[in-house]
Amino acid sequence: MSRFLSKNYEKLVPYVPGEQVNVKVIKLNTNESPFPPSPKVLEVLNSEVINKLNLYSDPELKELRSAIAEQFGVTPDMVFCGNGSDDVLAFAIMGFCGRGGSLACPEISYGFYPVYADIFGVDLEQIPLNDDFSVNVDDYIGKGKNIVIANPNAPTGLAFGVSEVEKIVASNPDNVVIIDEAYMAFCGMSCSELVKKYDNLLVVRTFSKSHSLAGLRVGFGIGSKELIADLNKLKFSFNPYNINTLSIKAASAAIADNEYYDDRISRIVATRERITAQLRELGFNCTDSKSNFIFASSDRINASELAAKLRERGILVRYFNKPKIDNYLRITVGADEDMDTLIKSINEILEEKK
Amino acid sequence: MSRFLSKNYEKLVPYVPGEQVNVKVIKLNTNESPFPPSPKVLEVLNSEVINKLNLYSDPELKELRSAIAEQFGVTPDMVFCGNGSDDVLAFAIMGFCGRGGSLACPEISYGFYPVYADIFGVDLEQIPLNDDFSVNVDDYIGKGKNIVIANPNAPTGLAFGVSEVEKIVASNPDNVVIIDEAYMAFCGMSCSELVKKYDNLLVVRTFSKSHSLAGLRVGFGIGSKELIADLNKLKFSFNPYNINTLSIKAASAAIADNEYYDDRISRIVATRERITAQLRELGFNCTDSKSNFIFASSDRINASELAAKLRERGILVRYFNKPKIDNYLRITVGADEDMDTLIKSINEILEEKK
């Protein structure tokens, strides 16, 4: 820290993203899709578009917001777009929780929520999960605080239903409830319809996982016109041109290509179920993940050791050295052949342990 | 404003970007380059790169920071990259001024500085320019506040020299001095060398103007390792993957193509000088702009009327309805043929007034 940085940020501990590597490995550590983006993306990122990059992108993001709105059956003024869903979450927590405001989230969840609370000076309550890692919805009923919950949750992969989301939203009418649906495409229980009924719900989604566009950085929030106007007010006071022209074009094309993505998502779900079954046969305890990753633990080898041994074999998975989950691995559902290599490697590692 | 937005932002007035239009017009209102980006940009944004967008971008931005560092003769850890230079300015003012901290800037300058002060709760002093619109450097000597100055300044286009920057930086050792060099490529008096000598200087640059990449959203700051580490701390607590893979590739290729950009920049400078001379012949008062725009005023027609009449002819220029500059137009230096059309149109408009 330099001697110039505001004392507000003295104890700030930044988020640590999963490792990004250049060498040839099987990368199952950051929940990326094993599939390339829709061919429509390649089509729209053509020389005509690239040669016009001398012109500013549209700060209102009309094309992209319209494309998203159409998919979700809402109007474009109910859609806020960010430079990745992290951008959406940052503006939402900055705006609705404010300095000295409140926020509640699950104790085990996306590791960025406490960082946002820290950077924006928000009083954060982290609520323990049930012993089976499920979110205890009752803990959030009538909470009287702003709330952010990932559904499906990460890194557990567990999800709860729309009716339970509605109970939380309806019972906290004076606070904003943020449902982070980064992984919802692999689950199919989105609460996005509820934004038409409740003015205090913000549903956050991303192109990074389901739409094979992690490298493009586009996320969005769906909510009431008033919430979205607030987020735009902050965006226009921080970084009006927050999404570049290439991302606008690519994401707009991608979200319209349901045929391509429905197929890839169902393949990922099928692989998830197949590999989860195989891990269970090997004695692993796996949660009932509804996302594009598997959360698994074994009595036969501890998670940090398994992660290290997989790494030696060129397979990266995510290990969290945190209480309650430090014997679990979060394993992204990758390509079938890579997942087969994973199972084979785990088998070998377990055999060596015998 | 919804009933949920923090009271901190009640009076926040967002920045208003210049109008972006889709219809065919001569667009001289947002200081874009009339030239497409370097052909190298088209080369690197190929199908191989696009088909790998399923993978996250590098949050450390090694490739891009190295490419920039090489151009400026610094090390990559002295370079911070943002999603446009607005992103860099936002993190810098957020981090170094903090809530309740201080900032001084010229009264007439980039309209975003007061917005940043507002959103981050910074006590802003706006210091009047000299009557000729030049920055009075003495006003900033030993100021004892954080400082941000655009050099060349906008919308005046006037610049001051490196030795004067050094006086400001050296006399404010306990505060951060941000020199916003968005337009410096058209001027050639960058103070970036001073970052090796002073730990309190941050030089901010952008790819938007000189590098014909406004639509790509890449800006950067050059400063001491400690300042850059602070900015990265904030970035990793707000939006770690703030620049996407396409922008990384394109900007890295662009900044290395000096041959292409040196030529385009010198053409823009030549057009600026030619058109400034023609406007002066028409009786306009033009500042000695060192940027890619002309700041001009006429006694024969007031600026708002001229802007409206140019607009009727399909030519957009920027008019600021603000005290002291409300009889000036900021006119981007566009393609030669468009600038000729501008001069012709102004001639006609002045003739009609007779």
Side-chain angles (χ1 to χ4, degrees), chain A residues 2-3 6 9 12 32-33 53-56 83 95 173-174 209 214-215 217 230 233 241-242 244-245 247, chain B residues 2-3 6 9 12 15 32-33 53-56 83 95 173-174 209 214-215 217 230 233 241-242 244-245 247:
Chain A
S2 82
R3 60 202 173 88
S6 165
Y9 309 119
L12 180 64
E32 293 152 328
S33 170
L53 283 174
N54 56 312
L55 305 180
Y56 276 98
N83 180 30
D174 295 325
K209 325 290 182 184
R217 317 308 308 127
D230 286 346
K233 182 176 179 177
Y241 301 94
N242 66 333
N244 71 35
T245 301
S247 297
Chain B
S2 83
R3 60 201 174 87
S6 164
Y9 309 118
L12 180 64
Y15 177 72
E32 293 151 327
S33 171
L53 284 173
N54 56 312
L55 304 180
Y56 276 99
N83 180 30
D174 295 325
K209 325 290 183 184
R217 317 307 308 127
D230 286 346
K233 182 177 180 177
Y241 301 94
N242 65 332
N244 72 33
T245 301
S247 298

Side-chain angles (χ1 to χ4, degrees), chain B residues 306-326:
Chain B
L306 179 54
K309 286 193 181 295
L310 285 169
R311 192 187 172 87
E312 285 168 15
R313 286 165 168 79
I315 301 174
L316 301 186
V317 298
R318 190 94 194 250
Y319 170 70
F320 299 90
N321 190 8
K322 286 183 180 175
K324 299 185 186 176
I325 56 169
D326 61 356

